[in-house]
Amino acid sequence: MSHAAPESARDIAEVPALEIVSTAALHLMSAAAVNLGLAEDLPEHQDLDEARTLIEALAGLVTAGAPRLGHHHAAPLRDGLRTLQLAFREASEIPDAPGEGPGEKLTGPVSPTPRPAQDR
């Protein structure tokens, strides 16, 4: 048995943490979007229970990682998370109470931003 690190460990050691966290977040976002019925090639698919789990995991990752990622990298992840949280609210037949939606215990309640009067 060799004491040398496996090739895969050496490969992963060269990947910056920012890239690993971002990739994980993008996978969670993509899977949540599919389960919300937002995939262009699978619009009829919807599994809100799965979407809730994925959004909650994403909220944990983004909330925990944001201080180390910096605003420039964390802001798009937060925006994507918020978009998914709002899409979940819209897709739910029985909406969660404010602050009880997926990930909202970590992010705070989300609600659509009212449009300015001139945009209506």
Side-chain angles (χ1 to χ4, degrees), residues 43-65:
E44 69 284 350
H45 177 78
Q46 191 175 68
D47 186 334
L48 296 183
D49 190 47
E50 288 289 301
R52 179 184 295 276
T53 299
L54 293 161
I55 294 168
E56 287 178 353
L58 177 62
L61 179 64
V62 171
T63 301

Side-chain angles (χ1 to χ4, degrees), residues 1-117:
M1 188 158 125
S2 171
H3 292 285
E7 189 68 30
S8 60
R10 273 185 253 138
D11 290 345
I12 201 79
E14 296 174 12
V15 180
L18 170 64
E19 188 174 328
I20 293 172
V21 171
S22 296
T23 299
L26 291 175
H27 283 292
L28 290 167
M29 284 181 186
S30 296
V34 167
N35 282 294
L36 287 170
L38 301 175
E40 288 183 21
D41 55 341
L42 200 60
E44 69 284 350
H45 177 78
Q46 191 175 68
D47 186 334
L48 296 183
D49 190 47
E50 288 289 301
R52 179 184 295 276
T53 299
L54 293 161
I55 294 168
E56 287 178 353
L58 177 62
L61 179 64
V62 171
T63 301
R68 298 284 305 193
L69 298 177
H71 177 75
H72 178 72
H73 296 289
L77 298 178
R78 283 191 189 111
D79 290 345
L81 170 58
R82 182 177 186 281
T83 298
L84 290 168
Q85 288 172 310
L86 290 170
F88 185 94
R89 283 202 170 278
E90 189 173 300
S92 298
E93 288 183 26
I94 303 170
D96 293 312
E100 297 298 319
E104 290 184 4
K105 286 187 168 85
L106 297 167
T107 64
V110 296
S111 60
T113 305
R115 293 183 310 179

